[in-house]
Amino acid sequence: AAGIPVKERVKVSQNWRHGRCRRETVLKWKCKQVAPFSSTFLMPWMELDGEYLYLSQAENIQAYRLCPDGTGLQRHPQAIFSGHQEDVCRFVLVNSRIVSGGGDGNIVLHKIHGSYSIKFSAHEQEVNCVDFQGGLIVSGSRDRSAKVWSLSVGRVGQCLHTVQTEDRVWSIAISPLLSSFVTGTACCGHTSPLRIWDLESGQLLTCLGTDFHHGAGVLDVFYETPSLLLSCGYDTYIRYWDIRASTRKCVQEWEEPHDSALYCIRSDKNHMIASGSSYYGVVRLWDKRQTRCLQSFHLSSPTSSPVYCLRFSTTHLYAALASALHVLDFMAP
């Protein structure tokens, strides 16, 4: 909100609340054809960093400069970060460094400014998720394991712990205290899809929740504070966990009204949550103080695509679908 006059801020806040925005498709790309009559969709991921939006497309991560006047982004990437032989599954951007996991089982580390990069073999199958904090990388894979990696001098790419999750790991996040990490798994081989592990020892600390249905996999997790955590996934619920209050029961939950799986989630660490659904590019805005969805936006029609990733700033929301990047501009109306 810095740099936006108070009167403008009130207007922007009202626009978010009432769903008033200008919609634009700012980038389009082709779905990959693997064989005749079959296509696999790209599953793009992105991060926002001040003046740039970073977007994974196939095996590369591209940096697009945001237009200073708030009208979207420049159509040609300013930089391209490569190193994977197969699609980038997920990546994080921390302290001017990009850490990515790919379908080739590798983890790649790039410094944004400069040509420095490191690549190491991490898992036997695709690396579905990664996080990076405090000189440590955590990764989760289809091979039913999560691993902790060192980035300290002389030990770069050394595996410190391997955690057997008995399930494909879809999402992972390091706690802001850098003492533990959470895994969101497929909930097929193990009854608890949300587990918290000690970062130093790799030991299981706790499971979150009970009585999950088979297949209630957790596709995205987001730490607001060391004790407050959001999760979403195949069972159509957003759950808000307060680890201080209870590990057995979440403190709040919101159900996706059209019974769609939820692919991604973000919050402003205050009252607002944004979620991305598995059908018709539906983005929903939620207010934690209310039980029902505040606003919804349908970004893909007639062809249906999940919202694979979303990010937002004070004034804009960006949503990455199978073949396009959409932006909602809440300053425009």
Side-chain angles (χ1 to χ4, degrees), residues 208-210 240-242 245-253:
L208 296 183
T210 56
Y240 195 39
W241 306 89
D242 186 339
S246 172
T247 55
R248 291 179 60 79
K249 202 170 186 325
C250 62
V251 288
Q252 276 178 283
E253 62 182 24

Side-chain angles (χ1 to χ4, degrees), residues 79-142:
I80 298 175
F81 302 92
S82 54
H84 287 284
Q85 268 71 55
E86 292 185 43
D87 288 2
V88 173
C89 296
R90 289 209 182 170
F91 69 94
V92 288
L93 173 60
V94 181
N95 297 334
S96 298
R97 288 190 279 189
I98 294 173
V99 173
S100 57
D104 53 9
N106 292 328
I107 288 174
V108 178
L109 167 74
H110 292 283
K111 275 195 174 167
I112 287 174
H113 311 292
S115 55
Y116 171 83
S117 68
I118 293 169
K119 177 163 87 170
F120 56 91
S121 177
H123 289 270
E124 293 172 19
Q125 293 177 284
E126 61 254 44
V127 182
N128 288 129
C129 50
V130 288
D131 199 8
F132 165 53
Q133 300 281 344
L136 293 174
I137 294 172
V138 292
S139 61
S141 170
R142 185 179 184 163

Side-chain angles (χ1 to χ4, degrees), residues 1 5 58 65 126 141 153 194 211-212 240 281 313:
R65 186 188 284 276
E126 61 254 44
S141 170
V153 178
L194 271 173
D211 304 324
F212 285 97
Y240 195 39
S313 63

Side-chain angles (χ1 to χ4, degrees), residues 173-223:
I174 297 174
S175 159
L177 284 182
L178 308 183
S179 57
S180 60
F181 66 98
V182 63
T183 54
T185 57
C187 201
C188 294
H190 192 282
T191 54
S192 180
L194 271 173
R195 281 170 280 171
I196 295 176
W197 312 83
D198 185 82
L199 205 48
E200 201 173 320
S201 67
Q203 296 299 307
L204 178 66
L205 294 176
T206 188
C207 300
L208 296 183
T210 56
D211 304 324
F212 285 97
H213 293 297
H214 183 81
V218 173
L219 295 175
D220 203 6
V221 287
F222 180 70
Y223 271 106

